[in-house]
Amino acid sequence: MLNWAEAALHWREDGDPGGRPLVFANSLGTDLRLWDALLPHLPVGLRLIRYDMRGHGLSACPPGPYDMDALARDAEALIEYLDLTNVTFIGLSIGGMVGQALAARRPDLLSALVLSNTAAAMGTPEAWQARIAAIRAGGIEAIADAVMERWFAARFRATPELALWRNMLTRTPPEGYIGCCAAIAGADLRATTATLTLPTLAIAGAEDGASPPDLVADTARLIPGARFATLPDTGHLPCVEAPAAYAAILSDFLKETAHV
């Protein structure tokens, strides 16, 4: 646990302690277990660091609302606490927005960026406020079925595993979920993301109902030289639905950027 001034963060480390570092940031309504299925498919020799975003998992849930700068400061604090350099930051959904904000804020910490199922701006403030209102009225349970439709392709929704991810969502602290909704609602990163120059990979799920491929591609086009890949038959969490295929794309990028 990292106890710093703004929020105590739960994190864990796998892989080679002396390897090149990858830092993973989870999506809205999940925790660091989002990446469990992916890690065994990655090249050996990497230092694999995951953390629970504030208000999620075992991290602290400070009073909201949050903003994207605060979430980026959390990631910055963890990287500095671990004394990391040349980090490849891998963020999914809101985690990818955190990655964009962090890369603009502290380019000296990162050597490469992976933006998975995310965008520089996601949804409208009105839509996020409607979601917040629904949760305040009926809890996260009130939105859970609709979220599952956006998270997963039809094939995965027909499996027993769906219940595990629905439970993860509904057990997220409501104030943490709402706080992060507010951060997304208030974030338009297009201007700062367009200034980024570090190697970037953008990954989309072909059936993603939360950040469709066109939206992810639009963000990739903001960054000179960014690569873009789409995984078929996957939704918003392709690292869960197709971990081997996701790892293959990510591993190729790590090799191209001399990370492995």
Side-chain angles (χ1 to χ4, degrees), residues 89-125:
F89 191 93
I90 303 164
L92 195 151
S93 192
I94 189 174
M97 299 187 85
V98 171
Q100 294 170 69
L102 176 63
R105 175 184 174 87
R106 289 295 307 275
D108 57 303
L109 296 179
L110 307 185
S111 62
L113 183 62
V114 179
L115 303 177
S116 182
N117 305 80
T118 191
M122 295 182 67
T124 66

Side-chain angles (χ1 to χ4, degrees), residues 68-80:
M68 201 56 63
D69 192 55
L71 300 181
R73 290 196 302 271
D74 288 345
E76 177 185 5
L78 177 62
I79 291 170
E80 290 192 326

Side-chain angles (χ1 to χ4, degrees), residues 28 131 143-152 169 177:
L28 181 68
R131 188 183 301 198
I143 66 165
D145 289 338
V147 169
M148 293 301 103
E149 293 280 336
R150 292 191 292 270
W151 274 12
F152 298 114
L169 170 68
Y177 190 98

Side-chain angles (χ1 to χ4, degrees), residues 21 66 141 158 174 230:
Y66 312 146
E141 180 65 37
T230 301

